[in-house]
Amino acid sequence: MSSIFHLVYYSRAAEDLSYTDIREVLDVSRRNNTALGITGLLIFRDGFFLQLLEGAEKDVRDILNRIREDDRNYSIRVMIETESADRLFEGWSMAFYDGDISTNSTQYLVDLFEAVLEGGMTKKNLIMPILRKFRASAPDLK
Ligand SMILES: Cc1cc2nc3c(=O)[nH]c(=O)nc-3n(C[C@H](O)[C@H](O)[C@H](O)COP(=O)(O)O)c2cc1C
């Protein structure tokens, strides 16, 4: 079985970002990611994006390069690059969690973002179990 490359980054959302912009990001992401076999999770909260991309390393890096060029976000900081045998988000071309309007797992997200922004989430053994828990606690993300 080929190994899966996982990459987690966070970025600042453009100040004038609208929900229409997010909708468009999700639509194009799901189309491209399905074609490339990329899966993952995008979280939006309080002006920040946090995204997990997983798939073949080259494809993930190509997508990340596109996102770096995308002026709907800026100041991208890659937190984690790792490989494992399994996908965390099998079957999810890009799950989305809106931390501003959903109350489900809100405290959990606050803790997650705070930990990331404080630089305390750089180890895969810390973030991977948290993402797994997050997926399990919010089955309506798709
Ligand atoms: C926060 C954020 C996350 C994104 N995630 C993805 C993604 O997972 N896959 C993807 O193809 N594009 C993603 N995009 C969009 C890319 O930046 C780019 O607009 C898109 O890949 C272009 O696709 P196209 O050449 O098919 O139009 C994201 C953009 C932003 C701002």
Side-chain angles (χ1 to χ4, degrees), residues 80-119:
I80 293 167
E81 296 181 8
T82 187
E83 289 194 40
S84 75
D86 303 311
R87 289 176 190 266
L88 289 163
F89 282 78
E90 179 80 53
W92 305 62
S93 58
M94 191 46 64
F96 178 65
Y97 189 83
D98 187 330
D100 285 347
I101 62 169
S102 297
T103 52
N104 182 20
S105 302
T106 298
Q107 188 55 46
Y108 188 70
L109 265 182
V110 171
D111 294 345
L112 179 66
F113 269 77
E114 279 183 1
V116 168
L117 296 175
E118 285 164 8

Side-chain angles (χ1 to χ4, degrees), residues 9 11 17 21 24-26 28-33 36 38-39 42-43 49-53 62-74 93-94:
Y9 74 84
S11 67
L17 193 89
D21 293 324
E24 286 171 2
V25 164
L26 288 173
V28 76
S29 297
R30 286 167 179 163
R31 189 166 65 238
N32 291 341
N33 295 357
L36 290 167
I38 289 179
T39 50
L42 179 67
I43 298 170
F49 288 112
L50 179 66
Q51 188 173 30
L52 164 73
L53 293 162
D62 285 351
I63 293 288
L64 182 70
N65 286 336
R66 289 194 219 172
I67 297 169
R68 283 188 192 281
E69 300 292 309
D70 191 324
D71 59 14
R72 289 170 291 196
N73 73 352
Y74 62 99
S93 58
M94 191 46 64

